[in-house]
Amino acid sequence: MSGREHDTADPDLQWCHEAVQGVSRTFALTVDVLEEPMASQICLGYLLCRVADTVEDAGHIPPERQTAVLETYREAIDPDGNADITDFRAAVDEWLPAPEERNEDWEVVAESPTIVATFEDLEPEAREAIVPPVLEMVDGMAMFVDRHAEEGGLRIDDRDELEQYCYYAAGTVGNLITNLLTRGEVGEARARRLRETAEEFGLLLQLVNVSKDVYDDFTEENNVYLPAQWLEDEGVDQEAVIDPENRESSARVVDRTAEYARSFLDDAQAYLETMPLSHGNTMEAWTVPYLLAVGTLRELRSRPEDALTETGVKVSRQEVFAVMAVAGEAGRDSLADLRETIANTPYHRAVEPAD
């Protein structure tokens, strides 16, 4: 059964699956086409990460308090920590929007005790696979908030810092997935190949987000992930990244960031071609975000300036549905051909019958 159809006898687990639908339709697509037990393990691991991500992105929390709240959360998640999830819930309480004003992200933060209690019902082997990457992510987020405390939002300096941020935000998730996939009977060579490419899979997806979400990141969260060094090369200050007069110059940096994302496509593809289909894992679950990333990079190449405006850059709903349909049938051997097709043409147009 898929994640959405999971055992409704457990209302807390059902709520967690519904919560993923609310906070990330893209990730929900993945959870929906995993089978059990992987569907619930990935769902709960993602929600643990999402709590930290929401706190890190919260512009209304002073940086020093953000760091303290994240550190409390880390202690609550760590089995050897000196706090529990009720301590985190108390620490974050004053920063929660009123119930009637909460979006889905803040509802997940508010319900973090439910998420953790449900997570603790997972088998010990799964919990041991998930916790270390989550702790590493939280540590990285706290470090970045502290590092950029004076700016009141993240301001990435150069390519190395961009890659470091993307590692903490998403490379750790690649490691989380890999920890779950390499349990049990997985050959040494296969496990090594997975571990060598797991971070790149996460980096690809995060760099695509960085490239396409410049406007929202700046206006909604006061974060600028386009490196200051790259913007300076174009004569643009980070604080003026979305100013209309800088549109053309900033778009070149968007294009440069998207090109950097493309450098991870090969390793991400190798990761998908190597992953075992065990513990409820499916190719479809990870092929969909990979192919949508390829499509988004195609759109970014043709109109990078849209990443700097409310228009934004994304693939069409028609292409999403077409990719979802083909991903259910795609095997490892077809990934390269699908990638080449989608890199050049929206997939729903590529497969339309000729008149």
Side-chain angles (χ1 to χ4, degrees):
M1 77 184 70
S2 76
R4 184 178 292 176
E5 298 163 345
H6 185 82
D7 180 10
T8 54
D10 184 342
D12 287 343
L13 185 56
Q14 182 184 10
W15 181 89
C16 289
H17 277 278
E18 292 170 355
V20 171
Q21 301 285 331
V23 297
S24 175
R25 275 301 304 149
T26 302
F27 204 86
L29 296 176
T30 291
V31 173
D32 280 349
V33 295
L34 288 167
E35 298 172 0
E36 294 299 343
M38 188 70 75
S40 290
Q41 293 165 0
I42 291 290
C43 168
L44 291 164
Y46 177 77
L47 289 176
L48 290 176
C49 295
R50 191 74 182 206
V51 171
D53 189 52
T54 300
V55 172
E56 186 230 8
D57 284 339
H60 68 288
I61 307 179
E64 66 277 6
R65 300 297 300 276
Q66 262 178 308
T67 303
V69 170
L70 285 168
E71 289 171 348
T72 302
Y73 183 62
R74 189 217 188 278
E75 289 292 302
I77 299 300
D78 188 348
D80 301 320
N82 297 316
D84 62 35
I85 197 62
T86 59
D87 296 315
F88 165 73
R89 185 61 179 77
V92 79
D93 189 68
E94 68 178 294
W95 308 109
L96 287 174
E100 64 275 9
E101 297 173 359
R102 280 178 204 157
N103 61 17
E104 287 90 345
D105 281 313
W106 284 106
E107 193 61 35
V108 164
V109 174
E111 293 295 331
S112 52
T114 299
I115 296 165
V116 169
T118 309
F119 172 75
E120 289 174 349
D121 286 338
L122 295 180
E123 60 186 67
E125 188 182 52
R127 298 200 307 270
E128 290 164 9
I130 292 170
V131 165
V134 176
L135 295 181
E136 190 176 14
M137 171 187 278
V138 179
D139 284 341
M141 289 183 171
M143 179 187 73
F144 267 87
V145 169
D146 188 58
R147 180 187 294 175
H148 294 278
E150 291 187 9
E151 291 103 336
L154 299 189
R155 296 290 185 273
I156 299 300
D157 292 329
D158 53 29
R159 195 191 80 164
D160 288 345
E161 189 178 27
L162 175 61
E163 184 170 332
Q164 183 185 40
Y165 175 81
C166 289
Y167 168 73
Y168 283 120
T172 52
V173 178
N175 288 334
L176 185 160
I177 297 163
T178 303
N179 287 352
L180 288 170
L181 292 178
T182 52
R183 296 172 291 164
E185 299 298 319
V186 178
E188 183 180 336
R190 191 178 206 179
R192 183 173 63 251
R193 183 64 171 145
L194 284 167
R195 293 196 175 97
E196 287 172 350
T197 53
E199 293 173 14
E200 284 74 11
F201 180 68
L203 287 171
L204 166 68
L205 301 184
Q206 188 66 25
L207 282 164
V208 170
N209 288 339
V210 164
S211 303
K212 75 181 181 67
D213 293 337
V214 178
Y215 181 85
D216 287 347
D217 287 336
F218 184 69
T219 59
E220 296 177 11
E221 298 166 2
N222 190 29
N223 293 328
V224 182
Y225 300 109
L226 298 185
Q229 191 175 82
W230 291 0
L231 287 165
E232 286 168 11
D233 290 345
E234 299 292 342
V236 178
D237 186 274
Q238 279 185 312
E239 301 309 313
V241 64
I242 64 169
D243 287 5
E245 60 267 28
N246 293 326
R247 185 88 26 93
E248 188 175 331
S249 300
S250 293
R252 284 194 288 271
V253 182
V254 170
D255 191 54
R256 186 174 178 179
T257 309
E259 195 60 38
Y260 184 42
R262 289 184 191 94
S263 72
F264 295 99
L265 280 166
D266 288 345
D267 279 342
Q269 181 176 316
Y271 183 75
L272 295 179
E273 292 170 341
T274 307
M275 61 168 45
L277 304 181
S278 55
H279 304 289
N281 187 42
T282 67
M283 278 293 293
E284 183 181 2
W286 310 108
T287 299
V288 169
Y290 174 74
L291 293 178
L292 292 179
V294 173
T296 305
L297 288 171
R298 180 199 67 236
E299 295 301 303
L300 278 161
R301 175 168 279 158
S302 67
R303 47 194 179 92
E305 64 281 355
D306 283 357
L308 306 164
T309 72
E310 287 185 79
T311 303
V313 176
K314 58 185 177 181
V315 300
S316 69
R317 289 176 62 84
Q318 296 99 313
E319 183 168 16
V320 172
F321 292 139
V323 166
M324 288 171 60
V326 74
E329 305 166 2
R332 303 177 199 278
D333 295 341
S334 61
L335 272 177
D337 288 343
L338 284 168
R339 168 181 161 185
E340 183 177 358
T341 299
I342 293 170
N344 292 296
T345 311
Y347 191 68
H348 61 292
R349 294 181 187 164
V351 296
E352 283 176 352
D355 292 337

